[in-house]
């Protein structure tokens, strides 16, 4: 497994090395030893979740207040354009963003440390996204920022086809930034 360090401190991309033969492929999608070598405690994950969405659907931008939550995210079926934003006050990359393609061809896992906002848009007809999260969900700690916030100017690859009511009503990056600072 290859590990790619993002330009955002703590954000890692774990890229498996599938073995292909006439039957198809086999790949290790997670390795606790390799994760530990990069500072991730595999035993800390408390919850596994999965979403299924159609082309153009956008989920996010979501985060958690308080101690936050770390996530290990992968696309088990289809492809998504995944975006993370550093929302850690005092971080050298506070407010910076990075994007990644997660798909069922490369099987990359994106590690999103606590203190980041996260969202994705579905690029294929359908996509299943799996998350391993290190804290139990507490809705009172939910944070959300609008996907089309002009200050962030995120370049989503497709027109947005569907948003949840929560995401459509999310606040601005400026308001969240001021609350966090």
């Amino acid at each position: 497994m290859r590990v790619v360090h993002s330009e955002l401190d703590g954000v890692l991309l774990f890229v498996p090395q599938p073995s292909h033969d006439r039957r198809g492929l086999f790949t290790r999608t997670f390795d606790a030893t390799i994760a530990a070598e990069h500072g991730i405690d595999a035993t800390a994950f408390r919850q596994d979740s999965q979403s299924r969405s159609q082309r153009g659907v956008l989920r996010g931008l979501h985060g958690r207040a308080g101690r936050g939550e770390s996530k290990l995210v992968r696309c088990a079926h289809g492809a998504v354009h995944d975006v993370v934003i550093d929302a850690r006050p005092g971080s050298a990359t506070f407010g910076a963003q990075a994007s990644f393609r997660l798909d069922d061809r490369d099987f990359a896992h994106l590690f999103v440390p606590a203190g980041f906002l996260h969202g994705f848009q579905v690029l294929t007809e359908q996509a299943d996204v799996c998350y391993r999260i290190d804290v139990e969900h507490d809705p009172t700690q939910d944070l959300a920022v609008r996907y089309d916030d002009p200050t962030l100017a995120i370049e989503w690859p497709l027109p947005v086809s569907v948003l949840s009511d929560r995401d459509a009503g999310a606040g601005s990056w400026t308001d969240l930034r001021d609350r966090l600072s």
Side-chain angles (χ1 to χ4, degrees):
M1 185 168 296
R2 190 168 49 91
V3 180
V4 179
H5 292 260
S6 164
E7 63 271 16
L8 301 179
D9 183 41
V11 176
L12 303 171
L13 194 65
F14 292 88
V15 185
Q17 306 298 299
S19 173
H20 298 267
D21 64 21
R22 63 183 172 24
R23 299 169 295 170
L25 68 85
F26 176 83
T27 191
R28 181 181 316 158
T29 60
F30 183 74
D31 188 306
T33 301
I34 293 171
E37 290 170 359
H38 294 276
I40 299 169
D41 176 6
T43 64
F45 293 110
R46 313 246 328 145
Q47 178 180 318
D48 280 3
S49 300
Q50 181 171 332
S51 66
R52 176 171 290 157
S53 307
Q54 307 304 315
R55 181 180 173 85
V57 166
L58 196 139
R59 293 181 181 259
L61 300 158
H62 303 150
R64 297 283 179 264
R67 91 162 186 85
E69 69 181 11
S70 296
K71 300 179 191 178
L72 191 60
V73 183
R74 71 182 178 98
C75 184
H77 174 74
V80 299
H81 177 79
D82 201 288
V83 175
V84 295
I85 299 164
D86 189 344
R88 301 171 300 174
S91 166
T93 57
F94 181 70
Q97 61 183 272
S99 62
F100 306 86
R101 180 184 171 95
L102 302 180
D103 60 40
D104 61 6
R105 187 177 45 175
D106 293 333
F107 304 103
H109 284 61
L110 180 63
F111 179 71
V112 183
F116 279 76
L117 298 174
H118 172 256
F120 65 85
Q121 184 178 42
V122 177
L123 302 175
T124 51
E125 185 177 326
Q126 186 176 69
D128 287 358
V129 175
C130 302
Y131 320 75
R132 299 199 84 193
I133 303 168
D134 71 346
V135 295
E136 293 177 17
H137 182 241
D138 177 357
T140 66
Q141 297 293 305
D142 286 352
L143 300 175
V145 169
R146 281 212 33 113
Y147 75 98
D148 60 353
D149 185 282
T151 304
L152 295 173
I154 298 169
E155 294 184 27
W156 298 102
L158 300 173
V160 174
S161 63
V162 179
L163 280 175
S164 70
D165 290 343
R166 172 187 173 210
D167 291 348
S172 72
W173 167 246
T174 303
D175 288 345
L176 179 61
R177 184 188 63 212
D178 292 347
R179 274 184 31 213
L180 295 172
S181 298

